[in-house]
Amino acid sequence: MLAELSVQIVKPQVWIGLALTAMFAYAIYRFGRLLIRTLSPHIHRGLPGVLKWVWLLVVSVSWLAVATFVTYLPSVPVLFELGRDITQGFRHSAGQLVVVIAMALIAWNLISTLAARIVAEQEFNRRSVRVQTLKGVVESTLRVVVVIISAIAALQAIGLNATSLLAGVSVLGLAVGFGAQSLIKDVFNGFFILLEDQYGVGDVITINTGQLSGGVERLNLRVTALRALDGTMHIVPNGQIQTVSVSSKDWSRVVAAVDVTYNANVDEALKVLQAVSTELYESPDWRHFFLEEPEMQGVVQLAPDGVTLRALYKVQPKSQWALGREFNRRIKIAMDEAGIEIPFPQRSVNFGSNPIEIRLTRDDVPAPSPAQDTSTQNRRTPPVEPSLSRDPEEEEI
């Protein structure tokens, strides 16, 4: 036997045959384990463990017999004959069908395993967005390919001519295609969304000029799934997306605006706005979000109820909401400390030629003092840890 083995083992076709049979054996073993796991709830508790060991023994002995036949060692009569019988059995339809199903199962699980190993960076950037998006698209596409190839191989195994069947299916598909133009439009639109990186998983978008808004939770060639701030999931076919407004593309901006009354000293209010902006920019907790120094725009509007002052912050994508909330907290405390009043709605009602001023007050509540006591407020340290979650887009909730 050793002499025969030394002669056969140097042949490349023997190694290829051993590798293929080992792969088939592993696929069949995994297929049997899946069946045992499926039957486990319906049989005795201790029986699945016994079946697993028995199945492992059967597969191992069968592969050893097939390997003996592939290596062509007739001096091992029992295993050689058993391997020949097993090989001939798998050349029939039933054996081929089992191999096809087992290999399809292995490919399906392998796709899931490889996709799980693709982990995007924790930091939000365009690379992590594309990785998350393409991961889902490639995984679903590969699974479709596995199903199609497995179906063709299974048809061939049971004796059907897959070539003529595919020709008939292609004609049918052409006829269906004329009636499924919206589906084709969805796929083409989804392809260009991915190709041009218009948006991806993790982006916050508004589609069709405010009809729907939310964070992109899933994206494939056919649909885009948006998760609104209240938890609602919106499933939108890609073919129905005409315009997209992306709030997290490359960089974002905080519009830091505050209103003061007409009686306020505008120059002092601008100094307060400048101080708060500089303070935020130099803060260790917020500095890494800024891409540029704050831009002071000054007085941008003379509104009916007050004067609007504004600064602009160019920041990292998806950080604008948290920075905006922190700005609102700090500017309120800073204005109180400076004694500058933030306006509330006031209206004048005229009766005849003489104006009459109307004020709504409560007798049990004393009027607020012009300057509030801010000694208990710390502008630099928030009383609670600020959240980095986003704010709702327009008409989202």
Side-chain angles (χ1 to χ4, degrees):
M1 183 186 73
L2 293 178
E4 295 175 348
L5 181 62
S6 62
V7 173
Q8 298 292 333
I9 202 68
V10 296
K11 297 179 180 180
Q13 61 268 29
V14 172
W15 286 103
I16 295 175
L18 291 176
L20 291 176
T21 54
M23 183 174 60
F24 292 152
Y26 178 72
I28 294 172
Y29 170 72
R30 294 293 300 177
F31 180 60
R33 288 289 299 265
L34 177 63
L35 293 178
I36 294 173
R37 188 163 57 248
T38 304
L39 294 174
S40 295
H42 309 288
I43 59 180
H44 190 270
R45 182 180 302 176
L47 193 56
V50 176
L51 291 177
K52 291 178 182 178
W53 284 105
V54 171
W55 181 243
L56 177 61
L57 180 62
V58 170
V59 174
S60 301
V61 173
S62 300
W63 179 80
L64 185 60
V66 173
T68 304
F69 177 74
V70 170
T71 314
Y72 198 76
L73 300 175
S75 58
V76 187
V78 177
L79 290 179
F80 183 80
E81 294 172 359
L82 178 60
R84 181 177 55 191
D85 295 338
I86 294 175
T87 304
Q88 291 177 353
F90 275 102
R91 288 174 180 172
H92 298 302
S93 299
Q96 293 179 10
L97 187 60
V98 171
V99 172
V100 168
I101 296 175
M103 294 301 294
L105 176 65
I106 292 298
W108 187 278
N109 292 333
L110 184 62
I111 291 172
S112 301
T113 302
L114 294 178
R117 292 180 177 273
I118 302 175
V119 180
E121 301 175 5
Q122 294 295 329
E123 181 182 356
F124 181 84
N125 51 47
R126 296 317 304 169
R127 183 178 183 277
S128 65
V129 168
R130 288 187 66 83
V131 167
Q132 288 284 7
T133 304
L134 294 177
K135 172 184 173 182
V137 173
V138 171
E139 183 179 0
S140 59
T141 303
L142 289 178
R143 285 182 171 176
V144 171
V145 171
V146 168
V147 170
I148 293 175
I149 295 177
S150 302
I152 295 174
L155 292 175
Q156 292 277 36
I158 61 178
L160 294 178
N161 190 348
T163 304
S164 59
L165 184 62
L166 287 176
V169 170
S170 61
V171 175
L172 179 62
L174 183 62
V176 172
F178 287 107
Q181 295 183 14
S182 60
L183 178 60
I184 297 174
K185 183 180 178 181
D186 294 342
V187 172
F188 270 95
N189 204 19
F191 173 77
F192 283 106
I193 289 173
L194 295 172
L195 180 65
E196 299 172 0
D197 190 26
Q198 297 177 13
Y199 59 87
V201 176
D203 277 322
V204 180
I205 67 173
T206 301
I207 66 173
N208 297 344
T209 319
Q211 288 186 1
L212 290 174
S213 300
V216 180
E217 195 165 286
R218 181 166 53 89
L219 171 62
N220 54 38
L221 292 176
R222 194 178 66 84
V223 298
T224 296
L226 300 180
R227 178 75 69 176
L229 199 65
D230 62 354
T232 303
M233 174 70 80
H234 303 295
I235 309 296
V236 186
N238 292 330
Q240 296 183 11
I241 299 177
Q242 303 299 323
T243 60
V244 180
S245 303
V246 185
S247 301
S248 53
K249 183 79 168 181
D250 299 329
W251 56 272
S252 299
R253 174 165 282 156
V254 178
V255 180
V258 61
D259 292 342
V260 298
T261 62
Y262 277 95
N263 295 328
N265 187 324
V266 175
D267 290 341
E268 289 298 322
L270 286 173
K271 291 179 182 179
V272 172
L273 178 60
Q274 174 70 56
V276 171
S277 300
T278 304
E279 181 182 290
L280 261 177
Y281 178 72
E282 296 176 351
S283 172
D285 295 332
W286 301 97
R287 176 66 183 85
H288 61 281
F289 290 118
F290 282 86
L291 298 177
E292 295 178 357
E293 293 186 9
E295 175 188 349
M296 295 295 299
Q297 288 195 314
V299 178
V300 296
Q301 186 179 11
L302 302 178
D305 298 320
V307 180
T308 302
L309 315 178
R310 188 165 68 197
L312 298 178
Y313 307 158
K314 186 176 181 179
V315 297
Q316 296 282 356
K318 298 182 73 173
S319 67
Q320 66 268 33
W321 299 291
L323 269 169
R325 290 191 291 267
E326 180 65 11
F327 167 79
N328 291 336
R329 188 187 71 85
R330 295 194 181 201
I331 196 67
K332 172 63 171 64
I333 298 175
M335 289 297 184
D336 291 343
E337 291 174 346
I340 299 175
E341 185 179 5
I342 297 177
F344 52 88
Q346 301 180 14
R347 295 290 182 269
S348 296
V349 181
N350 295 327
F351 293 94
S353 60
N354 298 321
I356 300 177
E357 184 177 357
I358 300 177
R359 293 184 179 181
L360 303 178
T361 61
R362 293 178 56 183
D363 295 338
D364 56 342
V365 178
S369 58
Q372 299 183 13
D373 182 13
T374 60
S375 59
T376 60
Q377 301 183 77
N378 188 338
R379 191 168 78 226
R380 297 176 182 269
T381 305
V384 295
E385 190 68 22
S387 170
L388 297 180
S389 61
R390 67 181 181 89
D391 290 344
E393 297 294 304
E394 185 178 359
E395 299 181 1
E396 182 177 346
I397 60 172

